[in-house]
């Protein structure tokens, strides 16, 4: 009987699976059709709408999943990693000759969660899209099949990581030369990547103990320490080469030669999640212990940008934005800043329209100018064009460099009070701001800033991407020459009508300082008036909003 079954399996692989998993039923490899209702999606294939040859009506939910179009070089561990975020994987059958596999989850609930997730997000292996659907069978039987030793070893290893039972892991085979510390390089850094974002992503693959971020060779990098080497192994296997945001911010991950990290300060650049008592260090805000403690809970992230984040988060290469809201035990929802998503994405609230033009209304017509709109909106992106409407000077059109920067500016500036008026910022129906024709009367109300040297974000990977904060009464000052004193800066801001409540130079770098004004409206107006102010000695003051207080 055993030989007969093996011969059937061999014949199946040789002649092809004409009806997918149906022939495996006749071979005795899979048992029992599922009897649950088919109210949930039976196929998880992202944007793929083509039916698999041999598919009949959609299969009802089953804990056995059928995976198709697997690249030739993919390993068992990589296939298993698809299911791990959703629960324990109990079996795997690889049909490499047909680029297919059957994955058995421990429970039908876990399989349903996995299929529902991958229904809206096309899964990838080795940068190639794959397709996942319910099998019409309830159980995999692979005990008597040949060449299952490698599969079972991989299954044992990943489930040991998943359950925390490290004693079953063959560390000599799997973890040789690997430590619990990963070195992470973020390439194509066009949008902010913070310590909190890294923690949210990597904590889904094990307990993160420490993170240190830094810039080296003009690249944003991080060292991240897991509690166990297996956690680091699984995170590297799953995340290396993936994009945090669609088409940019690519993760390059390798094992560090370090075995542990020494974190001295808990702040925006470094954090020890096991030591909430560490100081923040000079010039860095202290991490609230209640916030830091919350990092131990799944799916919780502190959003330093204020406002509600939206879904597109961990993006697989060259796909639409990947929304990871509500996935239990998986990647979790990243509370990311509005607009901190690259490429073309499915942003909640604005659909698929990638519009970079904003309509700003309720402006003070006595104060408004293209220049101050350029300065204020330039805090959140590179402003290319500004047009104040000729007959309605309370309204203006602002064209940002891209739709994401427009979304970011809108989320932070809508509702802010400027020169006595509450701004209303929405997306415009216009796709671009037209420049006036030659000879057309304009009164200087339309300006082209596309080549302005004052753009904050024109350099890819600029540190400015990591320092975008909501408007606040505390301003961050930089590019201060050595000869300028505290009194000089206080007098400068008071000359614009502001009341200065506090001031502090950075102890380690007197080129930077914090100044706290009496109100948020004063701070916004001071930023408009004094950003790029000439301080002498070929130094122009740089002003931005700070999330710190004095």
């Amino acid at each position: 009987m055993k030989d007969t079954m093996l011969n059937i399996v061999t014949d199946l692989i040789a002649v092809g699976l004409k009806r997918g998993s149906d022939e495996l039923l006749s071979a005795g490899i899979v048992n029992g059709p599922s009897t649950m209702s088919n109210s949930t999606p039976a196929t998880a294939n992202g944007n793929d709408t083509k039916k698999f040859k041999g598919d009949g009506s959609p299969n009802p939910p089953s804990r056995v999943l059928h995976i198709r179009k697997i690249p030739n070089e993919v390993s068992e561990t990589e296939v298993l990693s698809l299911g791990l975020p959703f629960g324990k994987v109990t079996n795997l059958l690889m049909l490499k000759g047909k680029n297919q596999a059957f994955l058995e989850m421990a429970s039908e609930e876990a399989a349903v969660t996995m299929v529902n997730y991958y229904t809206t997000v096309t899964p990838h292996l080795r940068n190639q899209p794959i397709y996942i659907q319910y099998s019409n069978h309830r159980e995999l039987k692979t005990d008597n099949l040949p060449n299952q030793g490698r599969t079972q070893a991989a299954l044992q290893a990943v489930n040991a990581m998943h359950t925390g039972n490290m004693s079953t892991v063959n560390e000599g085979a799997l973890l040789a030369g690997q430590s619990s510390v990963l070195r992470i390089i973020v390439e194509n850094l066009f949008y902010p990547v913070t310590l909190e974002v890294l923690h949210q992503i990597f904590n889904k693959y094990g307990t993160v103990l420490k993170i240190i971020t830094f810039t080296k060779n003009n690249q944003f990098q991080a060292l991240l320490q897991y509690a166990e080497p297996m956690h680091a192994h699984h995170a590297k296997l799953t995340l290396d080469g993936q994009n945090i945001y669609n088409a940019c911010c690519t993760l390059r991950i390798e094992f560090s030669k370090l075995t542990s990290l020494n974190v001295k300060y808990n702040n925006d650049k470094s954090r020890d999640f096991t030591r909430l008592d560490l100081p923040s260090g000079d010039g860095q805000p202290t991490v609230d212990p209640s916030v830091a403690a919350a990092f131990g809970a799944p799916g919780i992230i502190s959003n330093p940008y204020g406002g509600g984040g939206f879904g597109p988060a961990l993006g697989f290469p060259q796909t639409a934005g990947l929304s990871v809201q509500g996935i239990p035990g998986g990647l979790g929802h990243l509370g990311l800043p509005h607009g901190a998503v690259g490429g073309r994405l499915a942003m909640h609230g604005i659909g698929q329209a990638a519009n970079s033009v904003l309509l700003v209304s309720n402006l003070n017509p006595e104060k408004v100018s293209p220049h101050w709109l350029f300065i204020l909106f330039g805090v959140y992106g590179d402003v290319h064009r500004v047009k104040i409407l000729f007959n309605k000077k309370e309204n203006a059109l602002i064209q940002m460099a891209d739709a994401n920067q427009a979304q970011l500016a809108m989320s932070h500036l809508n509702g802010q009070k400027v020169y006595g008026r509450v701004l209303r910022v929405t997306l415009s129906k216009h796709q671009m701001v037209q420049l006036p024709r030659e000879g057309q009367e304009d009164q200087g109300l339309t300006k082209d800033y596309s080549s302005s040297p004052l753009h904050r974000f024109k350099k890819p990977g600029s540190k400015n991407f990591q320092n975008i904060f909501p408007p606040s009464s505390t301003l961050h000052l930089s590019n201060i020459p050595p000869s300028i004193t505290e009194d000089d800066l206080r007098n400068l801001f008071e000359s614009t009508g502001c009341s200065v409540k506090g001031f502090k130079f950075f102890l380690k770098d007197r080129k930077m300082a914090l100044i706290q004004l009496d109100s948020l409206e004063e701070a916004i107006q001071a930023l408009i008036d004094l950003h790029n102010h000439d301080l002498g000695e070929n130094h122009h003051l740089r002003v931005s909003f700070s999330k710190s207080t004095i």
Side-chain angles (χ1 to χ4, degrees):
M1 178 63 184
K2 176 179 177 181
D3 292 339
T4 300
M5 184 174 69
L6 294 181
N7 289 335
I8 293 174
V9 173
T10 303
D11 291 340
L12 285 175
I13 296 175
V15 302
L17 297 176
K18 294 183 180 179
R19 292 191 57 81
S21 59
D22 289 336
E23 296 187 10
L24 292 176
L25 176 62
S26 64
I29 299 171
V30 285
N31 283 346
S34 171
T35 57
M36 284 187 64
S37 68
N38 57 358
S39 58
T40 52
T43 303
N45 58 358
N47 297 322
D48 179 66
T49 58
K50 296 180 181 178
K51 294 294 290 179
F52 175 53
K53 184 178 180 181
D55 286 348
S57 59
N59 294 323
S62 167
R63 67 191 184 100
V64 179
L65 301 175
H66 184 198
I67 307 173
R68 302 182 280 113
K69 297 189 178 180
I70 299 172
N72 292 328
E73 66 275 14
V74 166
S75 68
E76 289 83 351
T77 305
E78 289 173 275
V79 176
L80 290 168
S81 70
L82 294 168
L84 277 180
F86 306 92
K88 184 178 180 180
V89 180
T90 51
N91 209 347
L92 173 68
L93 175 64
M94 296 282 288
L95 301 175
K96 291 192 174 183
K98 291 298 169 184
N99 302 101
Q100 299 179 30
F102 288 86
L103 188 75
E104 182 186 84
M105 303 298 292
S107 68
E108 196 170 275
E109 180 184 7
V112 169
T113 301
M114 179 175 171
V115 169
N116 285 344
Y117 174 65
Y118 287 130
T119 297
T120 57
V121 176
T122 303
H124 283 67
L125 287 174
R126 301 290 180 96
N127 296 331
Q128 297 297 319
I130 60 167
Y131 304 100
I132 302 175
Q133 65 188 42
Y134 295 119
S135 168
N136 61 344
H137 312 296
R138 183 174 288 275
E139 181 182 8
L140 279 180
K141 282 190 174 181
T142 59
D143 295 344
N144 297 321
L145 292 180
N147 303 319
Q148 278 293 104
R150 179 175 173 179
T151 299
Q152 291 304 312
L155 184 65
Q156 183 184 40
V158 295
N159 278 326
M161 182 280 298
H162 187 73
T163 61
N165 180 18
M166 297 301 295
S167 62
T168 62
V169 178
N170 182 352
E171 295 191 11
L174 186 62
L175 303 176
Q178 299 176 4
S179 77
S180 58
V181 179
L182 295 176
R183 178 170 175 252
I184 303 159
I185 299 175
V186 183
E187 297 180 348
N188 303 317
L189 185 69
F190 291 104
Y191 293 94
V193 175
T194 64
L195 183 148
E196 284 86 355
V197 168
L198 290 176
H199 182 275
Q200 183 66 62
I201 294 170
F202 283 83
N203 200 50
K204 296 302 176 182
Y205 300 90
T207 302
V208 175
L209 301 183
K210 304 171 185 178
I211 302 177
I212 298 174
T213 65
F214 55 96
T215 300
K216 183 178 181 181
N217 298 327
N218 292 321
Q219 289 182 312
F220 177 78
Q221 302 189 28
L223 293 170
L224 183 146
Q225 181 179 345
Y226 276 107
E228 299 286 351
M230 175 58 76
H231 300 166
H233 170 82
H234 184 54
K236 180 182 183 300
L237 179 69
T238 307
L239 298 175
D240 187 27
Q242 305 291 1
N243 295 330
I244 298 177
Y245 309 131
N246 187 47
C248 71
C249 300
T250 306
L251 293 171
R252 301 299 180 195
I253 305 171
E254 59 187 38
F255 290 103
S256 171
K257 295 179 181 179
L258 300 174
T259 56
S260 65
L261 299 179
N262 180 24
V263 176
K264 296 181 180 179
Y265 302 113
N266 279 343
N267 53 42
D268 288 345
K269 306 302 180 187
S270 63
R271 199 160 304 169
D272 185 337
F273 297 96
T274 67
R275 291 280 310 278
L276 304 184
D277 58 325
L278 291 179
S280 64
D282 294 333
Q284 291 286 353
T286 303
V287 178
D288 187 325
S290 63
V291 173
F295 276 96
I300 296 177
I301 186 166
S302 171
N303 182 357
Y305 296 86
F310 57 81
L314 191 69
F316 286 75
Q318 307 307 319
T319 67
L322 172 55
S323 174
V324 291
Q325 291 177 305
I327 161 176
L331 297 174
H333 169 58
L334 302 186
L336 297 176
H338 290 261
V341 189
R344 200 167 175 274
L345 65 151
M347 290 194 280
H348 299 291
I350 68 171
Q352 296 298 322
N355 193 350
S356 62
V357 179
L358 297 171
L359 172 63
V360 186
S361 56
N362 202 37
L363 293 162
N364 186 331
E366 303 298 323
K367 294 285 189 178
V368 68
S369 70
H371 175 74
W372 84 247
L373 289 171
F374 166 72
I375 294 296
L376 179 58
F377 281 77
V379 173
Y380 299 106
D382 291 337
V383 176
H384 282 194
R385 292 179 180 178
V386 177
K387 182 183 187 69
I388 299 171
L389 303 191
F390 186 78
N391 293 321
K392 297 180 180 179
K393 291 186 174 60
E394 293 184 345
N395 303 283
L397 295 174
I398 300 177
Q399 182 177 334
M400 307 296 291
D402 59 43
N404 305 305
Q405 293 181 5
Q407 179 75 14
L408 186 62
M410 181 174 69
S411 67
H412 284 311
L413 295 178
N414 181 45
Q416 297 294 345
K417 193 174 184 180
V418 186
Y419 294 116
R421 296 286 193 95
V422 177
L423 298 187
R424 298 294 175 224
V425 186
T426 60
L427 288 172
S428 170
K429 64 181 179 180
H430 298 284
Q431 296 299 308
M432 64 179 298
V433 172
Q434 296 286 350
L435 295 175
R437 294 187 298 272
E438 186 176 353
Q440 182 180 2
E441 184 181 3
D442 182 66
Q443 296 182 354
L445 298 178
T446 304
K447 295 289 184 182
D448 186 346
Y449 295 101
S450 57
S451 301
S452 173
L454 297 183
H455 284 162
R456 297 176 187 249
F457 308 103
K458 60 183 178 180
K459 181 180 178 182
S462 167
K463 290 184 178 180
N464 290 334
F465 284 112
Q466 303 171 43
N467 294 291
I468 302 175
F469 304 112
S472 68
S473 60
T474 302
L475 298 174
H476 180 276
L477 312 180
S478 60
N479 203 35
I480 302 169
S483 61
I484 295 295
T485 66
E486 176 179 337
D487 287 341
D488 292 330
L489 291 169
R490 281 179 174 268
N491 292 336
L492 176 63
F493 277 81
E494 288 172 353
S495 70
T496 66
C498 298
S499 298
V500 178
K501 293 180 62 177
F503 183 93
K504 182 176 71 173
F505 274 113
F506 281 58
L507 293 179
K508 294 184 177 180
D509 189 352
R510 287 191 84 264
K511 294 179 182 178
M512 297 189 293
L514 296 177
I515 188 166
Q516 186 171 349
L517 304 182
D518 190 53
S519 69
L520 176 57
E521 185 178 4
E522 281 191 2
I524 293 174
Q525 292 174 195
L527 183 144
I528 293 171
D529 292 340
L530 296 176
H531 178 66
N532 201 46
H533 179 81
D534 189 354
L535 294 176
E537 303 178 38
N538 201 29
H539 283 68
H540 288 78
L541 184 65
R542 300 288 180 257
V543 185
S544 57
F545 296 114
S546 172
K547 72 171 184 176
S548 304
T549 55
I550 300 175

